[in-house]
C-alpha cells in the first residue's frame, strides 16, 4: 500500500469533478470537519489519498442514503468543528442500523397493506376496505390524541 504522505495531490476542482460534487460541497465538508484538513498550494486546496478515502466514505454513507450528514460527521470524529463532543462512532452506527431496520419494517408493512388491497374483494378497495378504514381510524385517533 502506498504511503499516504507521498501520494499525488489533486486540486479541489479535480476532486469535485471526479466525485460529481460541486466545489462548494467539498468546502462545506471541510468547514464541518468531515474531511481531514486539505493541503494548500497557494489559495487552492489539494487532496491526497487520505482525504479521498474519507470523501469516498462520506459519499457511501451519506449520499448512499444510509446516514444523515450529521450522523456521518458524528461517526467520523469525536468532536465537531464547534468543539462539542459527539457520541462515539459505534453508537452512531448502531443508531443508523436501527433507523434502517425501522424503515425496512415500515416499508414491509406498507407492502403488506398494498398487497391486501390488491386481493380485497370489494369493488373499490382503496375506499371500501374495512381493514384499511379501521387502520386509518386508528391513525386519526392517535393524531387527535397528541
Amino acid at each position: 500500500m502506498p504511503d499516504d504522505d507521498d501520494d499525488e495531490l489533486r486540486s479541489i476542482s479535480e476532486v469535485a469533478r471526479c466525485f460529481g460534487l460541486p466545489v462548494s460541497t467539498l468546502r462545506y465538508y471541510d468547514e464541518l470537519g468531515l474531511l481531514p484538513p486539505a493541503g494548500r498550494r497557494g489559495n487552492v486546496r489539494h487532496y491526497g489519498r487520505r482525504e479521498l478515502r474519507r470523501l469516498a466514505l462520506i459519499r457511501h454513507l451519506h449520499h448512499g442514503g444510509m446516514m444523515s450528514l450529521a450522523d456521518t460527521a458524528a461517526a467520523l470524529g469525536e468532536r465537531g468543528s464547534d468543539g462539542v463532543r459527539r457520541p462515539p462512532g459505534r453508537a452512531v452506527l448502531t443508531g443508523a442500523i436501527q433507523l434502517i431496520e425501522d424503515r425496512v419494517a415500515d416499508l414491509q408493512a406498507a407492502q403488506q397493506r398494498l398487497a391486501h388491497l390488491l386481493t380485497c374483494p370489494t369493488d373499490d378497495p382503496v375506499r371500501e376496505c374495512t381493514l384499511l378504514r379501521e387502520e386509518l381510524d386508528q391513525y386519526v385517533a392517535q393524531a387527535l390524541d397528541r
Side-chain angles (χ1 to χ4, degrees):
M1 185 171 192
D3 186 7
D4 285 348
D5 295 332
D6 295 333
D7 68 303
E8 180 183 345
L9 295 178
R10 296 182 180 355
S11 71
I12 190 169
S13 59
E14 181 183 357
V15 171
R17 196 171 40 257
C18 290
F19 280 85
L21 295 169
V23 170
S24 60
T25 298
L26 294 177
R27 288 189 178 122
Y28 180 65
Y29 289 170
D30 260 350
E31 290 171 15
L32 290 177
L34 288 170
L35 295 171
R40 291 188 175 269
R41 288 185 185 160
N43 289 332
V44 179
R45 298 172 197 215
H46 285 77
Y47 295 91
R49 185 166 302 281
R50 181 174 168 222
E51 293 85 7
L52 295 176
R53 276 197 304 260
R54 178 69 67 93
L55 183 56
L57 178 62
I58 292 165
R59 264 192 74 77
H60 188 66
L61 293 176
H62 176 63
H63 294 279
M66 289 185 250
M67 297 176 74
S68 70
L69 193 55
D71 286 345
T72 300
L76 293 176
E78 290 184 14
R79 296 187 188 277
S81 58
D82 54 4
V84 176
R85 188 164 178 76
R86 296 178 176 147
R90 285 191 184 273
V92 174
L93 294 173
T94 301
I97 289 168
Q98 185 60 51
L99 279 173
I100 290 170
E101 288 174 355
D102 292 346
R103 284 195 310 196
V104 167
D106 290 344
L107 289 171
Q108 287 174 336
Q111 180 184 20
Q112 289 170 354
R113 282 184 207 101
L114 293 173
H116 168 75
L117 291 175
L118 279 175
T119 60
C120 187
T122 60
D123 289 336
D124 188 357
V126 174
R127 291 191 180 92
E128 298 173 7
C129 176
T130 305
L131 183 64
L132 180 62
R133 289 178 81 122
E134 289 171 359
E135 211 173 280
L136 294 175
D137 285 342
Q138 286 177 352
Y139 288 141
V140 170
Q142 287 173 356
L144 294 177
D145 288 341
R146 289 184 189 176

